[in-house]
Amino acid sequence: MKQHILIKLPVIFDSGGDLSKNWFIEFYARNPRTGKMERQRFYKEINKYHTLKERRAAAEKMRQYWTDKLKAGWSPFIDDTVIYDDNLEYQTYIKNYRKIKSTNGTLRFYASKYLDSIKNEVEGTTISTYRSKLRLFDAWLEGERINQVDISAINQAVLSKFMDFIINKRKLSKVSVDNYRILIRSLFEYIRKDKARKHLINPCFDLPGTKRVNDSAAYPIYEDDITTFKDYIFKKDPQLWLVISFEYYCFLRPRKEIRFLKLSDIDFGRGMIHVREEIAKTDKRWVTIPKTFMKLIRETYQLHIYPRNYYVIGKKGIPGPDHVSINNLSNRFVKYRKKLNMPEIYKLYSWKHTGNSRADKAGIPRQEIQVQNGHTTLATTEGYMRNIGVIQSTNILDKFPEL
């Protein structure tokens, strides 16, 4: 993981030994308000000496003075004449830092080991999510100037302050906040398995919470908007419309199942797609390609003429040896959604919901929809249908008495 330099230690600038010019001490420190390294210069107690020997001795003395101050935790960005509660708290952290500073016991050290320990147990996307969350935690610790302390210094009070940050500053939802709590708790339980850390107290208790709901779920595309999207995207970005069609007709998920799909996974003769285990969300499966979509695949996109080892969604807008990046497809869809002034409830994933919704209304049996989705049980499919607003009472729709 990328490390951020907090200070560059002082050096002497002696003007080439010229006593007629001012000598000074220079160092750099990271300003916590801007996140940038800022230069600091000090001339005091150096230039009053008029022999090389005396001035060099004075310069070295001042260089050592500022070096010691910086290593002790002093910052040029704290006003020594005004002490706030946060600064008092910061001074407490600095005292702890002197006592328990560690090169191999920091949050970053243990977070890396923890992620390595679970990489064979969870999906790569889950690891990426965990890594992003732990990076945010580490960045917050750096902002508090305690990212280099030993893990034992991260107590319940520190963690409560971080939770308050993600709730009130980052405005995260209850689900996201709970996920942070679960992840950090799991991390500390992993650390406690180390014999040298078995007495470490897990700080994940009595932490702030929130009931905030940030509605970011994808909704099916409304019927009146489907044609508008199709006419525009098919013309402007045919490859993206192919992605949408894989979602809509075959219920494939864009992040992995479509992005990593290869032409060798498509049985053009039988009209089937093999969703390999390494790209499937749940388990490997075969899905059926509706005839109307197969016609589009063969006649419009002519996927069958490309080398079988190519990715279907290549980097140059056609099948190729390299797949697109993880956010490429969703970013393209958002761009067109904005140009069409469509609501934000529409995500790229909405097209999978749209296909499910229309398949159900067309009378396709739920068991077949279950297989196409790769759901392990019919109950999962039923729950999915309820969540996307598919299940509708035909009796209420058709027979409800008029007022």
Side-chain angles (χ1 to χ4, degrees):
M1 288 184 281
K2 182 180 179 182
Q3 293 187 345
H4 294 285
I5 297 173
L6 298 181
I7 57 173
K8 290 184 179 179
L9 292 176
V11 294
I12 298 171
F13 283 81
D14 62 3
S15 299
D18 188 345
L19 294 174
S20 66
K21 297 180 180 180
N22 282 331
W23 296 16
F24 56 88
I25 305 298
E26 180 177 287
F27 61 87
Y28 285 79
R30 189 176 298 278
N31 189 330
R33 296 177 180 86
T34 65
K36 296 180 179 179
M37 297 291 285
E38 296 184 11
R39 184 177 62 188
Q40 308 291 321
R41 285 182 177 178
F42 293 90
Y43 299 82
K44 189 177 180 181
E45 302 296 329
I46 299 177
N47 295 298
K48 66 182 182 180
Y49 297 98
H50 302 292
T51 68
L52 278 175
K53 183 177 180 180
E54 289 176 327
R55 190 172 291 191
R56 282 174 177 163
E60 177 57 28
K61 181 179 179 180
M62 293 307 298
R63 185 195 68 80
Q64 191 60 51
Y65 168 80
W66 290 113
T67 298
D68 290 342
K69 276 183 70 92
L70 288 164
K71 286 187 174 181
W74 175 84
S75 168
F77 304 108
I78 292 180
D79 183 353
D80 291 328
T81 65
V82 182
I83 304 297
Y84 298 94
D85 288 343
D86 284 350
N87 289 338
L88 292 173
E89 186 175 60
Y90 165 67
Q91 295 302 327
T92 301
Y93 289 147
I94 292 302
K95 291 178 182 178
N96 289 336
Y97 177 83
R98 294 176 187 172
K99 297 176 182 177
I100 58 179
K101 181 180 178 182
S102 172
T103 57
N104 66 350
T106 62
L107 171 89
R108 185 172 298 188
F109 171 78
Y110 280 113
S112 295
K113 291 188 65 176
Y114 172 68
L115 292 175
D116 284 340
S117 73
I118 63 172
K119 65 182 179 182
N120 294 325
E121 302 173 11
V122 299
E123 289 188 6
T125 52
T126 302
I127 290 290
S128 297
T129 300
Y130 287 176
R131 184 179 293 113
S132 295
K133 284 181 165 57
L134 292 172
R135 279 176 175 168
L136 175 63
F137 187 22
D138 185 64
W140 178 84
L141 291 173
E142 182 178 351
E144 297 291 308
R145 300 180 180 83
I146 54 173
N147 63 313
Q148 293 298 321
V149 300
D150 186 83
I151 196 70
S152 60
I154 302 177
N155 54 25
Q156 192 270 348
V158 173
L159 193 51
S160 290
K161 192 173 180 181
F162 171 69
M163 299 300 284
D164 182 71
F165 164 74
I166 63 175
I167 291 170
N168 296 310
K169 298 294 185 181
R170 296 298 294 263
K171 305 294 184 183
L172 297 188
S173 68
K174 180 182 186 301
V175 172
S176 296
V177 171
D178 289 346
N179 286 339
Y180 267 99
R181 183 184 293 107
I182 292 169
L183 174 59
I184 296 173
R185 181 185 295 119
S186 298
L187 169 62
F188 273 88
E189 287 305 311
Y190 165 79
I191 297 170
R192 280 163 47 84
K193 292 178 182 178
D194 185 339
K195 290 182 180 179
R197 299 287 184 172
K198 63 181 180 181
H199 298 299
L200 180 70
I201 296 176
N202 194 323
C204 294
F205 61 91
D206 295 335
L207 299 177
T210 180
K211 295 182 179 180
R212 183 184 296 117
V213 177
N214 297 340
D215 189 4
S216 60
Y219 281 68
I221 309 295
Y222 296 161
E223 288 293 323
D224 291 346
D225 295 333
I226 291 175
T227 302
T228 302
F229 270 119
K230 181 179 180 180
D231 291 343
Y232 192 81
I233 295 178
F234 184 72
K235 179 181 177 181
K236 296 287 186 179
D237 193 340
Q239 187 189 55
L240 182 61
W241 188 254
L242 178 62
V243 171
I244 288 170
S245 298
F246 273 112
E247 281 192 77
Y248 175 82
Y249 288 110
C250 301
F251 303 164
L252 299 188
R253 299 163 178 88
R255 184 173 287 260
K256 288 181 65 175
E257 294 179 349
I258 298 177
R259 200 161 61 90
F260 296 140
L261 185 70
K262 290 190 172 183
L263 288 161
S264 57
D265 297 322
I266 302 176
D267 186 334
F268 291 94
R270 291 194 305 151
M272 301 283 287
I273 295 175
H274 180 216
V275 184
R276 290 171 280 120
E277 185 172 10
E278 60 267 31
I279 69 172
K281 181 180 180 181
T282 51
D283 198 1
K284 61 182 180 181
R285 69 186 190 277
W286 287 89
V287 301
T288 302
I289 305 175
K291 289 182 179 180
T292 185
F293 182 36
M294 179 54 77
K295 183 178 180 182
L296 188 72
I297 285 175
R298 280 187 172 275
E299 297 180 6
T300 302
Y301 291 96
Q302 298 184 327
L303 297 185
H304 59 289
I305 70 173
Y306 292 92
R308 302 304 301 279
N309 64 327
Y310 275 15
Y311 289 98
V312 176
I313 308 301
K315 284 188 173 181
K316 295 183 178 180
I318 57 175
D322 300 309
H323 59 75
V324 296
S325 61
I326 190 168
N327 294 318
N328 176 278
L329 300 174
S330 58
N331 289 343
R332 283 154 68 180
F333 177 74
V334 169
K335 179 181 71 174
Y336 295 125
R337 184 193 69 197
K338 289 179 177 178
K339 286 187 176 180
L340 293 170
N341 294 317
M342 292 293 186
E344 292 185 3
I345 57 173
Y346 293 160
K347 321 286 187 195
L348 180 59
Y349 206 83
S350 293
W351 293 99
K352 179 176 179 292
H353 299 339
T354 306
N356 271 272
S357 175
R358 282 184 150 192
D360 189 72
K361 289 181 179 179
I364 296 175
R366 292 269 171 85
Q367 291 86 349
E368 296 181 29
I369 293 176
Q370 173 196 340
V371 173
Q372 191 85 334
N373 275 293
H375 294 158
T376 54
T377 66
L378 185 59
T380 301
T381 304
E382 296 280 358
Y384 169 70
M385 292 293 189
R386 280 193 295 273
N387 286 337
I388 65 173
V390 170
I391 296 179
Q392 187 179 50
S393 170
T394 55
N395 287 326
I396 291 179
L397 181 67
D398 297 329
K399 299 179 181 180
F400 206 95
E402 185 176 349
L403 183 62

